[in-house]
Amino acid sequence: MNLLDPLIQGILLGGLYALFAAGLSLMFGVMRIVNLAYGDFAVLAAYGTLIVVNAALISPLAALLIVAPAMAVLGYILQRTILQRTLGLSPLPSLLVTFGLSIIIQNLLLMFGSADQKRLSLGGVDTASITLPFDIRVGVFPLFIFLLAIVILSILSWVTAKTQYGRLVRAVSDDPATVDLQGVNPKQIYALATAIAFGLVAIAGLAAGVQTSFNPTSGSMLLIFAFEAVIIGGLGSLWGTLGGAMILGVAQTVGAAFAPAQQILAGHLVFLLFLAFLPNGLTRRKVRA
Amino acid sequence: MSASVAQVLVEQRTHFVRRWTRTSIIGSSSFLVVAALLAVLPFMVNLSLVYSMIDLFILVILAMTWNMLAGYGGMVSVGQQAYIGIGAYSMVVLADSLGLNIFAAIALSAVVCGVIAIPISFLVFRLVGGYFAVGTWVVAEVVRLLVVQFPQIGGGAGISFSAMSDLSRDWRIATSYWIGLGATVIVVAACVLLIRSRAGLALTAVRDDMTAASTSGVMVTAVKRLVFVFAGAGAGIAGALIAVSTMRVQPDSVFSVQWSAFMIFIVVVGGVGTLEGPIIGVLVFWFLKQLLADYGPLYLILLGVIGIVFVLFVRGGIWGLISRKGRIELFPVGYNFSKKL
Amino acid sequence: MLDVTKLSAAYGQVTAIRDIDLAISEGGILAIIGANGAGKSTLLKTIAGQLPTKSGSIVFDGDDVSGLPAYERARRGIIMVPEGRRLFASLTVHENLQTALSAKRKGAWTLDAVYDLFPLVAERKDRRAGNLSGGEQQATAIARALVANPRLLLLDEVSLGLAPSIIGELYASLPIILEQGTAILLVEQDVSRALNVSDEVHCLLQGATSLAGKNIALSEISAAYFGTERDS
Ligand SMILES: Nc1ncnc2c1ncn2[C@@H]1O[C@H](COP(=O)(O)OP(=O)(O)OP(=O)(O)O)[C@@H](O)[C@H]1O
Ligand SMILES: [Mg+2]
């Protein structure tokens, strides 16, 4: 059996998962929130793109220029109005509220959309492929998404390491009760982080909508993949997350090469192996709750 | 007054500790009276109501045990459907394939779930904060994906439960109802006893002070594991009851994350971290369901909105409003400290 | 510059400070003394805005700031060095100082000027704050506050747990800070050290003022400090 092909497909798939995982881990890193509705917001963005595409007759990529900022604004407002009230020592309130949001979004989509599978089309680009040495064919779009993921992660890590906003993000994560003494409104830091995460989720939602199909309930699976990538990679490290995402992608595609129906199970099992034997992930960093 | 001072005073016999208060005596005895009244219900009302009451019992069990997990133990699981499914399938295997007596099969299903929860706890306890929740969800997905691999238990299509199929329809429903009622009484009593125990004291400490309890180490982890296993077993009983009442086990339905949504709604609306809350929450949930379930998605959206409103604005739930911040309790789990006359 | 009148604050239902009056003018220094649990940190936190005002007023540069959030007061120049330093452990010393730039206040205390004042901090510039010694941490905490160019600097027990030599160094920087017109409100447990830098003291006892004024005799202060009856 040729494993090189699924290996490369898996690595590229990892790019998509890394896009998802980056926003999830940003929100956790800054606020210690795990947003259980995260995948559903991605699906919401994909449906939003579909609506814009159909209404304005533009390509999904152009529609993204509207949808991503819209999602970022939604994230900002959601943080200031609802999520901010759930922050505290206990993770219970934020989990309960985001789980509630997940149910609301899924059922709104069911009500106004339909239960069947949808897909975003780029009119040819999404199916085009190029041939690499050793006769390996890779899709142009997955390759593009993989490169985009690397660019976006690079920008994110530059922002966290070098800018004042990035410093404040790390400061608030160290000691949320002290940044206000520096003249900083922590709520503003939180809301900006959520806005960034939601912008990312819009991009990831579009990418997923092109690469695979989606329906109102596919958000749960996206959340789980993002989560697995974060844990395999190790908390608090963007590049670790990319590594985790690639491992998950490879586990899925290689698993599918052996047993076509077991793609997702293979990913889960590799995740559980990491949890059992390398609980702090690739980067092995310990992170407090 | 601090616990140690209280202890000294009790040892000197100048004070004594009462665990039964007037309201908890009334509360617990009315619980038993209600249970006794419920037991004769099948003779008095029509069977469709009796049938829908079995759902209510299943929900009470799920909500009570999820509340032990999340409300007291601080472990927010959204993966209890793993044990619901395992419990339901165990019931089919034990009662149908192995021909065990129904009651023994239910008890054993609970044991199976409890035992499976032990290794799972070692995995998911490694996840911090909110990631624990998603971890339990992944485990439930894995269990579902594994179960459907086995054609012997119906694969993806599910399997029917036939141990009670020789009973007439009426008797079958009534019997399921009594089994459900009995199981509910046992689970509620077990929750009360668990909270009254030493472990319960540690749990209440976890609930009341997340930071202090999380730093106090080994004991807390052991107690949390105990509760995790207990909740797994409880969800297993609920799963077994689902098999009994619906006579069919379908993987997509028993392993549905919607069970978690329901448990969470019930506990949040009733009152997180209290024994009375889940029971009140179940009544609210059940009432809404009779009223609105036909509206499908709209009904679920409404549940989501109500749940969020409670978390944001009514943290203590309905019981919190009724009990005036915990000063009334219907179950004898608190400590009331009085001077001897 | 700062006028505090009948200020009370509480943790939940428990009142921690009651009816405190104090005033401080530009370039002035006032030492707050009192036993453990007297309410010194509470008073500072209330002025800085980390604890809500229950009653009374905090007038700063003519405006009542008692309703403003802490970050807004910091932007107006009320900067606190909190008890226990509270540095951002995963950030470097330099980055810790940079966070204070967010107060967006111009003034004499540029990063370079602050490094000149505390050579000790400059040497540790690139080290993670979590890996500093206690003295280095305290110096960094004061440096971080200075970067925000405070009009009013609130210092909570800067000497706690430090060796005498480093305490001397930190206290030696206070006159230089005052020279810029910054006022200092200083919490100090050690009465004689407090009297060394400030003629004016304000003594708290169980949340209330037990004594306040200038050039008070040590014996009188110690009575107010411990709450024992004063000899007449
Ligand atoms: N976060 C808090 N919650 C509740 N009570 C508090 C809190 N912080 C302090 N207190 C109480 O308020 C009172 C004053 O405390 P505060 O910290 O202001 O004292 P202090 O004078 O700074 O003492 P020390 O010299 O030990 O620092 C004490 O009785 C203390 O127990
Ligand atoms: Mg203090």
Side-chain angles (χ1 to χ4, degrees):
Chain A
M1 186 185 295
N2 176 12
L3 280 185
L4 195 60
D5 185 57
L7 190 69
I8 292 183
Q9 309 301 341
I11 289 174
L12 295 185
L13 188 57
L16 176 63
Y17 294 161
L19 273 183
F20 274 108
L24 189 73
S25 84
L26 177 66
M27 286 182 71
F28 183 79
V30 179
M31 294 170 275
R32 297 292 180 267
I33 276 189
V34 173
N35 181 357
L36 293 181
Y38 192 69
D40 303 298
F41 281 109
V43 174
L44 183 69
Y47 274 96
T49 310
L50 205 58
I51 291 171
V52 174
V53 166
N54 290 336
L57 298 175
I58 50 175
S59 123
L61 288 179
L64 188 64
L65 295 179
I66 302 169
V67 174
M71 288 299 290
V73 170
L74 176 66
Y76 187 93
I77 295 172
L78 194 70
Q79 179 64 41
R80 289 305 292 250
T81 53
I82 295 182
L83 297 182
Q84 180 65 41
R85 294 168 189 270
T86 69
L87 299 184
L89 270 182
S90 160
L92 193 72
S94 62
L95 284 170
L96 300 183
V97 164
T98 55
F99 195 64
L101 286 174
S102 162
I103 290 163
I104 293 173
I105 294 171
Q106 289 191 7
N107 285 287
L108 277 176
L109 292 175
L110 270 174
M111 241 170 90
F112 292 104
S114 60
D116 43 296
Q117 298 286 332
K118 291 277 189 330
R119 198 168 182 145
L120 292 165
S121 165
L122 291 178
V125 184
D126 34 352
T127 49
S129 61
I130 51 173
T131 308
L132 299 180
F134 301 105
D135 207 27
I136 297 199
R137 294 169 64 83
V138 297
V140 172
F141 188 74
L143 186 63
F144 167 71
I145 290 301
F146 182 78
L147 296 175
L148 181 68
I150 292 185
V151 169
I152 286 180
L153 291 187
S154 307
I155 295 175
L156 272 182
S157 74
W158 175 80
V159 167
T160 359
K162 302 286 182 210
T163 65
Q164 178 73 353
Y165 176 69
R167 277 189 284 277
L168 294 177
V169 159
R170 284 178 287 137
V172 90
S173 160
D174 276 357
D175 188 353
T178 300
V179 283
D180 55 354
L181 296 179
Q182 264 59 250
V184 177
N185 180 359
K187 291 178 189 166
Q188 191 70 9
I189 306 279
Y190 294 151
L192 275 177
T194 307
I196 294 173
F198 273 55
L200 284 175
V201 94
I203 300 173
L206 171 112
V210 173
Q211 258 171 277
T212 63
S213 55
F214 55 91
N215 67 43
T217 56
S218 37
S220 308
M221 204 54 87
L222 296 176
L223 167 74
I224 286 180
F225 293 159
F227 156 80
E228 289 176 333
V230 169
I231 302 295
I232 295 175
L235 296 186
S237 156
L238 274 177
W239 297 114
T241 299
L242 178 64
M246 294 197 304
I247 289 175
L248 179 66
V250 169
Q252 291 184 348
T253 50
V254 171
F258 283 100
Q262 309 304 340
Q263 172 172 1
I264 291 171
L265 182 59
H268 290 336
L269 292 178
V270 167
F271 159 74
L272 290 180
L273 283 178
F274 265 86
L275 194 55
F277 298 108
L278 215 60
N280 293 321
L282 295 175
T283 52
R284 302 182 178 209
R285 205 185 295 169
K286 284 228 175 226
V287 172
R288 71 186 166 84
Chain B
M1 191 168 327
S2 78
S4 54
V5 174
Q7 207 168 356
V8 169
L9 291 176
V10 170
E11 276 160 14
Q12 290 174 345
R13 297 171 187 277
T14 56
H15 290 62
F16 64 100
V17 169
R18 264 188 329 186
R19 308 207 62 183
W20 291 89
T21 61
R22 185 202 301 245
T23 46
S24 76
I25 291 169
I26 296 173
S28 304
S29 29
S30 38
F31 177 72
L32 293 176
V33 170
V34 168
L37 284 178
L38 283 173
V40 296
L41 195 71
F43 299 111
M44 309 196 300
V45 300
N46 90 29
L47 269 185
S48 74
L49 178 65
V50 173
Y51 187 70
S52 70
M53 292 282 289
I54 305 176
D55 267 357
L56 191 124
F57 295 143
I58 291 169
L59 291 169
V60 170
I61 292 174
L62 288 174
M64 284 301 277
T65 52
W66 186 82
N67 181 46
M68 299 298 286
L69 202 57
Y72 285 93
M75 295 170 277
V76 186
S77 166
V78 288
Q80 291 305 95
Q81 61 273 19
Y83 311 99
I84 298 176
I86 296 172
Y89 277 99
S90 304
M91 191 65 196
V92 172
V93 171
L94 293 168
D96 277 0
S97 315
L98 304 180
L100 247 64
N101 163 294
I102 302 261
F103 301 97
I106 294 179
L108 259 183
S109 299
V111 172
V112 167
C113 287
V115 169
I116 290 180
I118 296 172
I120 291 178
S121 76
F122 280 93
L123 280 179
V124 293
F125 278 20
R126 299 181 159 187
L127 294 164
V128 291
Y131 282 133
F132 172 88
V134 196
T136 57
W137 195 351
V138 172
V139 169
E141 280 297 296
V142 169
V143 174
R144 179 177 67 87
L145 291 170
L146 287 177
V147 162
V148 299
Q149 310 283 322
F150 293 95
Q152 299 87 334
I153 47 173
I159 190 167
S160 43
F161 175 75
S162 43
M164 283 169 55
S165 49
D166 26 337
L167 292 177
S168 77
R169 183 173 166 276
D170 290 4
W171 271 109
R172 201 187 63 236
I173 291 178
T175 311
S176 313
Y177 172 90
W178 283 315
I179 293 174
L181 178 61
T184 306
V185 171
I186 291 173
V187 170
V188 171
C191 290
V192 174
L193 289 177
L194 185 60
I195 292 298
R196 268 175 75 98
S197 70
R198 267 190 106 75
L201 206 59
L203 265 185
T204 312
V206 175
R207 176 192 67 179
D208 293 342
D209 188 354
M210 292 282 297
T211 40
S214 68
T215 49
S216 54
V218 184
M219 171 65 180
V220 168
T221 310
V223 170
K224 281 184 156 189
R225 198 176 320 278
L226 174 72
V227 172
F228 189 81
V229 169
F230 175 82
I237 293 179
L241 291 177
I242 291 170
V244 167
S245 81
T246 61
M247 301 188 62
R248 180 151 191 89
V249 178
Q250 264 168 319
D252 287 343
S253 135
V254 282
F255 287 114
S256 166
V257 71
Q258 210 159 67
W259 289 113
S260 285
F262 293 162
M263 301 175 215
I264 293 177
F265 174 86
I266 290 168
V267 175
V268 163
V269 169
V272 182
T274 62
L275 287 169
E276 296 84 355
I279 295 174
I280 293 175
V282 165
L283 296 177
V284 174
F285 177 85
W286 195 69
F287 184 70
L288 284 176
K289 190 174 164 188
Q290 307 305 320
L291 219 63
L292 299 167
D294 293 343
Y295 295 95
L298 193 63
Y299 162 63
L300 292 167
I301 292 170
L302 192 70
L303 290 189
V305 171
I306 295 176
I308 289 177
V309 167
F310 268 82
V311 176
L312 293 183
F313 304 108
V314 200
R315 281 261 161 110
I318 295 175
W319 180 247
L321 296 176
I322 297 175
S323 75
R324 290 169 299 174
K325 295 195 195 299
R327 264 175 290 158
I328 298 178
E329 50 186 25
L330 295 184
F331 292 105
V333 293
Y335 289 86
N336 291 282
F337 194 70
S338 331
K339 199 170 166 66
K340 275 190 181 164
L341 295 174
Chain C
M1 175 172 60
L2 176 75
D3 254 300
V4 170
T5 338
K6 293 191 101 42
L7 184 67
S8 303
Y11 296 101
Q13 299 296 316
V14 188
T15 301
I17 52 169
R18 232 168 301 112
D19 294 334
I20 307 287
D21 289 306
L22 62 82
I24 187 164
S25 53
E26 204 149 315
I29 181 165
L30 169 63
I32 307 204
I33 58 177
N36 291 111
K40 307 180 294 293
S41 301
T42 304
L43 175 61
L44 254 53
K45 280 194 273 183
T46 312
I47 295 174
Q50 285 203 320
L51 200 64
T53 300
K54 196 174 144 203
S55 61
S57 68
I58 304 168
V59 175
F60 181 68
D61 280 341
D63 299 329
D64 188 348
V65 296
S66 58
L68 296 179
Y71 63 87
E72 187 53 48
R73 295 189 211 183
R75 286 177 194 171
R76 291 176 178 224
I78 302 181
I79 307 288
M80 176 161 79
V81 176
E83 189 169 29
R85 296 120 198 187
R86 305 295 285 263
L87 295 177
F88 304 115
S90 73
L91 275 60
T92 65
V93 167
H94 189 63
E95 288 176 324
N96 264 280
L97 267 51
Q98 283 175 306
T99 59
L101 295 172
S102 284
K104 299 208 175 68
R105 295 182 50 79
K106 300 262 175 306
W109 294 113
T110 60
L111 284 165
D112 286 338
V114 171
Y115 281 131
D116 283 343
L117 181 65
F118 294 110
L120 185 67
V121 176
E123 274 168 38
R124 297 285 180 261
K125 215 172 150 190
D126 295 317
R127 195 179 286 187
R128 273 172 193 258
N131 302 337
L132 296 178
S133 74
E136 291 163 349
Q137 283 188 22
Q138 190 63 70
T140 305
I142 298 176
R144 179 177 66 181
L146 282 185
V147 171
N149 283 294
R151 296 259 297 132
L152 170 66
L153 182 62
L154 310 173
L155 295 176
D156 198 346
E157 300 209 36
V158 291
S159 58
L160 195 72
L162 302 184
S165 66
I166 179 86
I167 297 176
E169 226 169 289
L170 294 176
Y171 268 86
S173 67
L174 298 189
I176 307 170
I177 297 170
L178 291 168
E179 263 169 36
Q180 303 294 334
T182 301
I184 297 181
L185 204 56
L186 173 89
V187 164
E188 179 56 76
Q189 291 236 15
D190 183 331
V191 177
S192 57
R193 195 176 298 119
L195 291 175
N196 268 339
V197 287
S198 161
D199 350 310
E200 189 174 356
V201 294
H202 192 108
C203 188
L204 293 183
L205 181 67
Q206 292 171 3
T209 304
S210 59
L211 182 70
K214 286 190 176 170
N215 304 319
I216 303 169
L218 204 59
S219 62
E220 206 177 342
I221 290 179
S222 83
Y225 191 104
F226 295 110
T228 46
E229 281 299 313
R230 251 174 280 167
D231 305 325
S232 50

